[in-house]
């Protein structure tokens, strides 16, 4: 489900919970709620799932490289210690 579809579903739940006597104002209320929610979400420091996944993969590769380098340093220190 896209971000817009989830937002619209959220708004529809709010609209559905309004009293029936507000039915004439529902469209205006829907627009105002949508605007308020979008404004609130834009102030949050959120990333898309795709951006998160890319960063998680980058972190995983970096961690693997660091582990490899730590192993190489240990091996070099052992060689240096054997020659001392």
């Amino acid at each position: 489900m896209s971000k817009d579809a989830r937002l619209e579903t959220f708004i529809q739940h709010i609209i559905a919970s309004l009293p029936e006597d507000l039915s004439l104002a529902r469209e205006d209320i829907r627009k105002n709620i949508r605007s308020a929610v979008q404004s609130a979400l834009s102030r949050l420091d959120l990333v898309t799932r795709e951006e998160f996944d890319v960063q998680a993969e980058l972190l995983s590769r970096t961690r693997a490289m660091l582990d490899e380098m730590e192993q190489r340093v240990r091996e070099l220190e052992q060689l240096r210690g054997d020659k001392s």
Side-chain angles (χ1 to χ4, degrees):
M1 183 181 283
S2 73
K3 182 173 78 171
D4 284 339
R6 287 188 300 248
L7 178 58
E8 195 58 40
T9 300
F10 174 70
I11 292 169
Q12 290 304 323
H13 285 289
I14 294 172
I15 297 295
S17 69
L18 293 174
E20 285 300 317
D21 57 342
L22 293 177
S23 62
L24 296 176
R26 284 182 186 253
E27 186 58 28
D28 285 338
I29 293 169
R30 188 188 72 72
K31 288 178 184 177
N32 288 334
I33 290 172
R34 183 177 190 72
S35 177
V37 169
Q38 284 179 325
S39 176
L41 290 175
S42 70
R43 288 190 302 267
L44 298 175
D45 192 16
L46 302 175
V47 297
T48 65
R49 182 65 194 192
E50 182 180 344
E51 291 170 317
F52 177 84
D53 290 342
V54 166
Q55 291 301 314
E57 177 61 29
L58 180 61
L59 179 60
S60 177
R61 287 187 301 201
T62 302
R63 183 71 213 176
M65 288 174 54
L66 178 60
D67 290 343
E68 183 181 323
M69 288 178 162
E70 287 175 337
Q71 179 61 33
R72 290 175 69 188
V73 167
R74 279 192 295 273
E75 290 170 0
L76 289 170
E77 286 174 341
Q78 286 177 345
L79 285 174
R80 185 172 161 233
D82 290 345
K83 293 182 179 181
S84 300

